[in-house]
Amino acid sequence: MHVSSYQKLLAVLLVCISPAPYVFAAEPASEAARSNEAEGSNPAVAVVKQIKTPRIRVVDATIEAVQQATVSAQIRGRITEISVDVDDYVEKGTVILRIRDKEQRAAVDVAKARFDEADAEYLRKKEVYVKGLVAKSALDKAEASYRAAKATLAQANESLEHTQVRAPYSGIVVKRHVEVGETARIGQKLMTGLSLEKLRAIVELPQSLIHNVRKHKQTWVWVGKNLDRRIKAESLTVSPFADPVSHTFLVRINLPTGEHSVYPGMHTKVAFLTGEKLSIVIPAAAVVKRSEVTGVYVIKDKQISFRYIRLGGIVAGQQQEILSGLSVGETVLLDPDGAVMAIKSQEKSEKE
Protein backbone atom coordinates (compact mmCIF):
# COMPACT_ATOMS: atom_id res chain seq x y z
CA MET A 1 0.00 0.00 0.00
CA HIS A 2 1.38 3.42 -0.96
CA VAL A 3 2.07 5.85 1.92
CA SER A 4 2.38 9.57 1.17
CA SER A 5 5.52 11.52 2.10
CA TYR A 6 3.43 13.64 4.49
CA GLN A 7 2.29 10.54 6.38
CA LYS A 8 5.87 9.32 6.64
CA LEU A 9 7.01 12.65 8.04
CA LEU A 10 4.19 12.74 10.57
CA ALA A 11 4.98 9.20 11.64
CA VAL A 12 8.58 10.15 12.33
CA LEU A 13 7.53 13.29 14.22
CA LEU A 14 5.07 11.42 16.42
CA VAL A 15 7.67 8.82 17.26
CA CYS A 16 9.99 11.59 18.51
CA ILE A 17 7.51 13.09 20.98
CA SER A 18 8.23 12.07 24.56
CA PRO A 19 5.15 10.89 26.45
CA ALA A 20 6.31 12.60 29.66
CA PRO A 21 5.05 16.20 29.99
CA TYR A 22 7.37 19.21 30.67
CA VAL A 23 10.44 17.35 29.37
CA PHE A 24 12.24 17.79 26.07
CA ALA A 25 12.24 14.67 23.88
CA ALA A 26 15.78 13.37 23.75
CA GLU A 27 15.71 9.72 22.62
CA PRO A 28 13.84 8.26 19.59
CA ALA A 29 11.37 5.53 20.46
CA SER A 30 12.35 3.05 17.76
CA GLU A 31 15.26 1.81 15.70
CA ALA A 32 13.66 3.25 12.57
CA ALA A 33 13.51 6.68 14.17
CA ARG A 34 17.17 6.44 15.19
CA SER A 35 18.08 5.59 11.61
CA ASN A 36 16.08 8.50 10.23
CA GLU A 37 17.67 10.92 12.71
CA ALA A 38 21.14 9.81 11.68
CA GLU A 39 20.22 10.53 8.05
CA GLY A 40 18.97 14.03 8.97
CA SER A 41 15.36 13.26 7.98
CA ASN A 42 13.95 13.44 11.53
CA PRO A 43 12.96 17.02 12.49
CA ALA A 44 13.58 17.66 16.18
CA VAL A 45 10.65 18.48 18.44
CA ALA A 46 10.24 19.80 21.96
CA VAL A 47 7.45 19.76 24.51
CA VAL A 48 6.34 23.07 25.97
CA LYS A 49 7.22 23.13 29.66
CA GLN A 50 6.88 25.33 32.71
CA ILE A 51 9.87 26.33 34.84
CA LYS A 52 10.77 28.83 37.56
CA THR A 53 12.34 31.99 36.14
CA PRO A 54 13.51 35.28 37.63
CA ARG A 55 10.87 37.97 38.04
CA ILE A 56 12.35 41.11 36.51
CA ARG A 57 11.12 44.69 36.77
CA VAL A 58 12.45 47.11 34.12
CA VAL A 59 12.38 50.86 34.79
CA ASP A 60 13.74 54.02 33.18
CA ALA A 61 16.98 55.49 34.54
CA THR A 62 19.51 58.25 33.89
CA ILE A 63 23.27 57.90 33.57
CA GLU A 64 25.45 60.15 35.73
CA ALA A 65 29.13 60.39 36.63
CA VAL A 66 30.18 59.14 40.04
CA GLN A 67 32.95 61.75 40.16
CA GLN A 68 31.68 65.21 39.25
CA ALA A 69 32.74 68.41 40.96
CA THR A 70 33.13 72.16 40.65
CA VAL A 71 36.56 73.58 41.49
CA SER A 72 36.45 76.89 43.40
CA ALA A 73 39.04 79.58 44.13
CA GLN A 74 40.92 79.21 47.42
CA ILE A 75 42.48 82.69 47.29
CA ARG A 76 41.57 86.11 45.91
CA GLY A 77 43.39 87.28 42.79
CA ARG A 78 43.31 88.10 39.09
CA ILE A 79 43.12 85.14 36.69
CA THR A 80 46.16 85.21 34.39
CA GLU A 81 45.80 81.93 32.47
CA ILE A 82 43.17 79.33 31.63
CA SER A 83 44.79 76.18 30.21
CA VAL A 84 41.71 74.14 29.27
CA ASP A 85 38.24 74.69 27.88
CA VAL A 86 34.90 72.90 27.75
CA ASP A 87 35.08 69.32 26.36
CA ASP A 88 38.85 69.10 26.98
CA TYR A 89 40.15 65.96 28.66
CA VAL A 90 42.61 66.55 31.50
CA GLU A 91 44.74 64.22 33.59
CA LYS A 92 44.63 64.26 37.37
CA GLY A 93 46.93 66.97 38.76
CA THR A 94 47.09 69.01 35.54
CA VAL A 95 47.12 72.81 36.05
CA ILE A 96 43.89 74.08 34.53
CA LEU A 97 43.99 77.72 35.71
CA ARG A 98 46.50 80.19 37.17
CA ILE A 99 45.92 83.18 39.43
CA ARG A 100 48.37 86.08 39.77
CA ASP A 101 50.97 84.95 42.33
CA LYS A 102 53.30 87.94 42.84
CA GLU A 103 52.01 88.63 46.34
CA GLN A 104 52.16 84.95 47.33
CA ARG A 105 55.73 84.51 46.06
CA ALA A 106 56.83 87.56 48.07
CA ALA A 107 55.19 86.09 51.16
CA VAL A 108 57.07 82.83 50.61
CA ASP A 109 60.38 84.67 50.32
CA VAL A 110 59.76 86.56 53.58
CA ALA A 111 58.66 83.41 55.38
CA LYS A 112 61.67 81.49 54.09
CA ALA A 113 64.07 84.19 55.36
CA ARG A 114 62.46 84.22 58.79
CA PHE A 115 62.53 80.45 58.95
CA ASP A 116 66.23 80.32 58.07
CA GLU A 117 66.94 82.89 60.77
CA ALA A 118 64.90 81.04 63.39
CA ASP A 119 66.46 77.71 62.42
CA ALA A 120 69.98 79.06 62.81
CA GLU A 121 69.13 80.66 66.16
CA TYR A 122 67.57 77.45 67.44
CA LEU A 123 70.62 75.37 66.46
CA ARG A 124 72.94 77.90 68.13
CA LYS A 125 70.92 77.90 71.35
CA LYS A 126 70.96 74.08 71.43
CA GLU A 127 74.75 74.01 71.18
CA VAL A 128 75.31 76.52 73.98
CA TYR A 129 72.63 74.93 76.14
CA VAL A 130 74.48 71.62 75.99
CA LYS A 131 77.55 73.45 77.31
CA GLY A 132 75.44 74.94 80.11
CA LEU A 133 75.89 78.55 78.96
CA VAL A 134 72.18 79.45 78.59
CA ALA A 135 69.06 78.73 80.56
CA LYS A 136 66.43 76.22 79.48
CA SER A 137 63.93 79.05 78.99
CA ALA A 138 66.13 80.63 76.31
CA LEU A 139 66.25 77.32 74.42
CA ASP A 140 62.48 76.92 74.69
CA LYS A 141 61.94 80.42 73.33
CA ALA A 142 64.25 79.71 70.35
CA GLU A 143 62.42 76.45 69.66
CA ALA A 144 59.03 78.20 69.74
CA SER A 145 60.27 80.82 67.28
CA TYR A 146 61.57 78.07 65.02
CA ARG A 147 58.24 76.21 65.03
CA ALA A 148 56.28 79.40 64.36
CA ALA A 149 58.55 80.30 61.43
CA LYS A 150 58.17 76.78 60.01
CA ALA A 151 54.37 76.99 60.20
CA THR A 152 54.37 80.42 58.57
CA LEU A 153 56.52 79.10 55.70
CA ALA A 154 54.18 76.14 55.19
CA GLN A 155 51.19 78.49 55.12
CA ALA A 156 52.90 80.75 52.58
CA ASN A 157 53.72 77.78 50.35
CA GLU A 158 50.13 76.61 50.59
CA SER A 159 48.85 80.02 49.48
CA LEU A 160 51.28 79.98 46.56
CA GLU A 161 50.06 76.50 45.57
CA HIS A 162 46.48 77.80 45.50
CA THR A 163 47.43 80.14 42.65
CA GLN A 164 47.69 77.03 40.45
CA VAL A 165 44.34 75.28 40.24
CA ARG A 166 44.76 71.57 39.44
CA ALA A 167 42.34 68.89 38.23
CA PRO A 168 41.23 66.76 41.22
CA TYR A 169 40.88 63.67 38.97
CA SER A 170 41.14 62.69 35.32
CA GLY A 171 38.06 63.72 33.38
CA ILE A 172 36.34 66.13 31.01
CA VAL A 173 35.67 69.83 31.54
CA VAL A 174 31.93 70.43 31.17
CA LYS A 175 31.66 74.10 32.19
CA ARG A 176 33.93 77.13 32.56
CA HIS A 177 32.70 79.82 34.96
CA VAL A 178 35.39 82.53 34.55
CA GLU A 179 37.50 84.32 31.94
CA VAL A 180 41.10 85.52 31.86
CA GLY A 181 41.44 88.94 33.51
CA GLU A 182 38.60 88.46 35.98
CA THR A 183 39.31 88.76 39.69
CA ALA A 184 38.44 85.55 41.45
CA ARG A 185 36.95 85.71 44.93
CA ILE A 186 37.45 83.06 47.59
CA GLY A 187 34.84 80.36 47.00
CA GLN A 188 33.99 81.50 43.46
CA LYS A 189 33.32 78.70 40.95
CA LEU A 190 36.08 78.27 38.38
CA MET A 191 35.63 74.98 36.46
CA THR A 192 33.17 72.08 36.51
CA GLY A 193 34.26 68.64 35.37
CA LEU A 194 33.38 64.97 35.54
CA SER A 195 35.06 61.63 35.06
CA LEU A 196 33.85 59.04 32.52
CA GLU A 197 35.84 56.26 34.19
CA LYS A 198 33.16 55.63 36.81
CA LEU A 199 29.49 55.90 35.84
CA ARG A 200 26.24 54.97 37.49
CA ALA A 201 22.53 54.91 36.74
CA ILE A 202 20.07 56.63 39.04
CA VAL A 203 16.40 55.77 39.32
CA GLU A 204 13.44 56.54 41.58
CA LEU A 205 11.78 53.28 42.71
CA PRO A 206 8.28 53.03 44.20
CA GLN A 207 8.03 51.77 47.76
CA SER A 208 6.28 48.59 46.57
CA LEU A 209 9.55 47.37 45.00
CA ILE A 210 12.12 48.56 47.48
CA HIS A 211 12.03 45.57 49.86
CA ASN A 212 12.60 43.00 47.09
CA VAL A 213 15.34 45.11 45.51
CA ARG A 214 17.17 45.33 48.83
CA LYS A 215 16.72 41.59 49.38
CA HIS A 216 18.08 40.33 46.03
CA LYS A 217 20.50 43.16 45.12
CA GLN A 218 20.83 41.99 41.49
CA THR A 219 20.58 44.63 38.78
CA TRP A 220 21.33 44.94 35.07
CA VAL A 221 21.82 48.10 33.01
CA TRP A 222 21.35 48.56 29.25
CA VAL A 223 24.40 50.15 27.61
CA GLY A 224 25.85 50.60 24.13
CA LYS A 225 25.28 53.18 21.41
CA ASN A 226 21.73 51.97 20.87
CA LEU A 227 21.23 50.53 24.36
CA ASP A 228 21.44 47.10 22.76
CA ARG A 229 23.65 45.45 25.37
CA ARG A 230 22.87 44.53 28.96
CA ILE A 231 25.54 44.30 31.66
CA LYS A 232 25.34 43.32 35.29
CA ALA A 233 25.76 46.18 37.74
CA GLU A 234 28.81 46.22 40.00
CA SER A 235 26.82 47.33 43.04
CA LEU A 236 23.82 49.38 44.06
CA THR A 237 22.98 51.79 46.85
CA VAL A 238 19.43 52.34 48.06
CA SER A 239 18.52 55.54 49.87
CA PRO A 240 17.56 54.81 53.50
CA PHE A 241 14.54 57.12 53.27
CA ALA A 242 11.77 57.92 50.78
CA ASP A 243 10.94 61.24 49.21
CA PRO A 244 8.03 62.64 51.27
CA VAL A 245 6.27 63.98 48.15
CA SER A 246 6.68 61.17 45.57
CA HIS A 247 7.14 58.35 48.14
CA THR A 248 9.94 56.91 46.01
CA PHE A 249 13.44 55.78 46.93
CA LEU A 250 16.55 56.99 45.11
CA VAL A 251 18.66 54.04 43.90
CA ARG A 252 22.19 54.42 42.52
CA ILE A 253 23.47 51.54 40.35
CA ASN A 254 27.23 51.51 39.78
CA LEU A 255 28.44 50.30 36.38
CA PRO A 256 31.61 48.20 36.04
CA THR A 257 34.73 50.15 35.12
CA GLY A 258 35.24 50.34 31.35
CA GLU A 259 33.94 51.84 28.11
CA HIS A 260 30.18 51.23 27.74
CA SER A 261 29.28 53.90 25.12
CA VAL A 262 26.97 55.69 27.55
CA TYR A 263 27.49 59.19 28.91
CA PRO A 264 26.19 61.32 31.79
CA GLY A 265 22.68 62.61 31.13
CA MET A 266 21.69 59.75 28.81
CA HIS A 267 18.47 57.81 29.24
CA THR A 268 18.72 54.05 29.77
CA LYS A 269 16.86 51.05 31.17
CA VAL A 270 17.58 49.20 34.42
CA ALA A 271 16.32 45.72 35.33
CA PHE A 272 15.86 44.67 38.96
CA LEU A 273 15.48 41.09 40.21
CA THR A 274 12.38 41.09 42.43
CA GLY A 275 11.71 37.36 42.91
CA GLU A 276 10.66 34.23 40.98
CA LYS A 277 7.73 33.27 38.77
CA LEU A 278 6.49 30.29 36.74
CA SER A 279 7.07 30.73 33.01
CA ILE A 280 6.13 28.75 29.92
CA VAL A 281 9.26 28.15 27.84
CA ILE A 282 10.40 26.49 24.64
CA PRO A 283 13.83 26.26 22.98
CA ALA A 284 14.67 29.54 21.25
CA ALA A 285 15.39 27.58 18.05
CA ALA A 286 11.67 26.80 17.71
CA VAL A 287 10.68 30.46 17.30
CA VAL A 288 9.98 31.54 13.72
CA LYS A 289 10.00 35.18 12.63
CA ARG A 290 8.39 36.01 9.32
CA SER A 291 8.53 39.77 8.69
CA GLU A 292 6.50 41.23 11.58
CA VAL A 293 4.94 37.88 12.51
CA THR A 294 6.34 35.70 15.31
CA GLY A 295 5.19 32.14 15.86
CA VAL A 296 5.99 28.45 16.11
CA TYR A 297 4.99 25.27 14.28
CA VAL A 298 2.80 23.07 16.49
CA ILE A 299 1.89 19.39 16.09
CA LYS A 300 -1.61 18.62 17.32
CA ASP A 301 -3.90 15.71 16.39
CA LYS A 302 -1.41 14.57 13.74
CA GLN A 303 -1.62 17.97 12.08
CA ILE A 304 1.12 20.65 11.75
CA SER A 305 0.02 24.27 12.03
CA PHE A 306 1.57 27.70 12.47
CA ARG A 307 0.70 29.37 15.79
CA TYR A 308 1.12 33.07 16.60
CA ILE A 309 2.87 33.70 19.93
CA ARG A 310 3.93 36.61 22.12
CA LEU A 311 7.49 36.46 23.40
CA GLY A 312 9.04 37.32 26.73
CA GLY A 313 12.78 37.23 27.32
CA ILE A 314 15.50 34.60 26.96
CA VAL A 315 15.76 32.61 30.21
CA ALA A 316 17.70 29.59 31.46
CA GLY A 317 20.28 29.64 28.70
CA GLN A 318 18.59 29.23 25.32
CA GLN A 319 15.01 28.95 26.56
CA GLN A 320 12.49 31.43 25.16
CA GLU A 321 9.76 32.62 27.50
CA ILE A 322 6.27 32.54 25.96
CA LEU A 323 3.76 35.08 27.25
CA SER A 324 0.81 33.82 25.20
CA GLY A 325 -0.06 31.44 22.36
CA LEU A 326 1.10 28.11 23.81
CA SER A 327 0.08 25.78 26.63
CA VAL A 328 2.14 23.42 28.74
CA GLY A 329 2.41 19.97 27.16
CA GLU A 330 2.00 21.04 23.53
CA THR A 331 4.64 19.98 21.02
CA VAL A 332 6.58 22.38 18.78
CA LEU A 333 9.00 21.74 15.92
CA LEU A 334 12.60 22.89 16.20
CA ASP A 335 13.14 22.77 12.43
CA PRO A 336 11.03 25.49 10.75
CA ASP A 337 12.16 24.53 7.25
CA GLY A 338 11.14 20.91 7.82
CA ALA A 339 7.80 22.12 9.18
CA VAL A 340 7.12 24.15 6.02
CA MET A 341 7.81 21.09 3.88
CA ALA A 342 5.53 18.99 6.07
CA ILE A 343 2.69 21.52 5.77
CA LYS A 344 3.03 21.58 1.99
CA SER A 345 2.90 17.79 1.91
CA GLN A 346 -0.07 17.93 4.26
CA GLU A 347 -1.97 20.33 1.98
CA LYS A 348 -1.12 18.25 -1.08
CA SER A 349 -2.34 15.08 0.64
CA GLU A 350 -5.61 16.77 1.61
CA LYS A 351 -6.21 17.81 -2.02
CA GLU A 352 -5.60 14.28 -3.23
Side-chain angles (χ1 to χ4, degrees):
M1 179 179 177
H2 177 70
V3 181
S4 68
S5 58
Y6 159 65
Q7 291 172 324
K8 290 180 180 178
L9 183 56
L10 268 184
V12 173
L13 291 175
L14 293 174
V15 165
C16 293
I17 302 174
S18 170
Y22 315 118
V23 181
F24 289 118
E27 296 292 337
S30 68
E31 193 66 36
R34 281 193 291 270
S35 175
N36 288 335
E37 186 180 40
E39 295 173 3
S41 59
N42 180 9
V45 296
V47 176
V48 180
K49 63 179 182 178
Q50 192 175 53
I51 63 173
K52 288 184 177 181
T53 60
R55 184 182 296 277
I56 302 295
R57 179 67 176 268
V58 179
V59 297
D60 293 329
T62 303
I63 298 294
E64 73 171 13
V66 175
Q67 294 179 323
Q68 49 185 339
T70 297
V71 180
S72 301
Q74 301 298 305
I75 61 171
R76 185 180 185 280
R78 182 168 56 85
I79 298 171
T80 59
E81 179 186 342
I82 296 178
S83 306
V84 296
D85 205 346
V86 175
D87 289 339
D88 287 347
Y89 178 82
V90 294
E91 295 287 347
K92 180 180 179 180
T94 302
V95 176
I96 59 176
L97 182 147
R98 296 180 188 273
I99 298 174
R100 185 174 182 270
D101 60 0
K102 186 175 181 179
E103 182 180 344
Q104 285 74 23
R105 289 188 180 278
V108 169
D109 291 340
V110 172
K112 181 67 168 59
R114 291 177 178 174
F115 171 76
D116 291 342
E117 181 183 1
D119 184 37
E121 179 64 15
Y122 177 52
L123 291 176
R124 189 179 68 82
K125 282 292 196 309
K126 284 180 66 175
E127 290 178 358
V128 295
Y129 174 75
V130 172
K131 296 177 181 180
L133 300 177
V134 294
K136 181 69 166 57
S137 60
L139 176 63
D140 291 343
K141 184 177 180 180
E143 183 180 2
S145 297
Y146 164 77
R147 292 182 181 277
K150 185 178 180 180
T152 301
L153 177 60
Q155 185 178 19
N157 283 323
E158 182 72 11
S159 295
L160 178 60
E161 180 62 27
H162 287 329
T163 63
Q164 300 182 36
V165 181
R166 300 179 182 272
Y169 46 76
S170 299
I172 296 175
V173 178
V174 296
K175 192 170 184 180
R176 190 178 75 181
H177 302 278
V178 292
E179 299 290 343
V180 174
E182 293 184 14
T183 298
R185 305 180 306 276
I186 296 177
Q188 181 178 355
K189 296 179 180 180
L190 301 176
M191 293 276 185
T192 298
L194 55 82
S195 173
L196 298 180
E197 295 179 0
K198 294 183 179 180
L199 300 176
R200 65 188 175 196
I202 56 172
V203 61
E204 298 279 351
L205 281 185
Q207 60 186 31
S208 60
L209 293 177
I210 206 66
H211 296 295
N212 286 330
V213 169
R214 280 177 171 161
K215 176 182 177 181
H216 297 286
K217 293 184 178 180
Q218 292 193 45
T219 311
W220 296 264
V221 182
W222 273 262
V223 297
K225 295 180 179 179
N226 300 313
L227 300 182
D228 53 1
R229 183 164 52 92
R230 192 177 72 174
I231 60 173
K232 189 171 184 179
E234 188 177 71
S235 61
L236 62 88
T237 303
V238 181
S239 174
F241 59 89
D243 183 277
V245 177
S246 64
H247 308 296
T248 57
F249 289 78
L250 178 64
V251 181
R252 296 180 176 90
I253 304 99
N254 296 314
L255 276 64
T257 302
E259 170 58 41
H260 304 301
S261 297
V262 290
Y263 302 95
M266 287 182 61
H267 165 268
T268 187
K269 298 282 187 180
V270 174
F272 293 95
L273 175 64
T274 60
E276 289 185 337
K277 64 178 180 178
L278 291 175
S279 298
I280 294 176
V281 297
I282 61 173
V287 177
V288 181
K289 293 186 177 180
R290 299 282 188 263
S291 186
E292 298 181 357
V293 176
T294 302
V296 292
Y297 289 101
V298 180
I299 303 176
K300 185 176 182 181
D301 298 331
K302 300 182 180 182
Q303 296 289 319
I304 300 176
S305 61
F306 185 77
R307 181 88 58 82
Y308 297 111
I309 58 173
R310 189 159 64 93
L311 302 180
I314 297 294
V315 297
Q318 295 299 315
Q319 300 297 301
Q320 175 68 62
E321 182 183 14
I322 305 299
L323 300 181
S324 64
L326 288 174
S327 300
V328 174
E330 291 188 298
T331 303
V332 297
L333 272 72
L334 301 182
D335 181 9
D337 294 333
V340 172
M341 295 176 59
I343 290 177
K344 290 181 178 180
S345 298
Q346 173 180 302
E347 293 174 348
K348 183 177 180 182
S349 177
E350 291 174 352
K351 291 179 179 180
E352 293 177 353

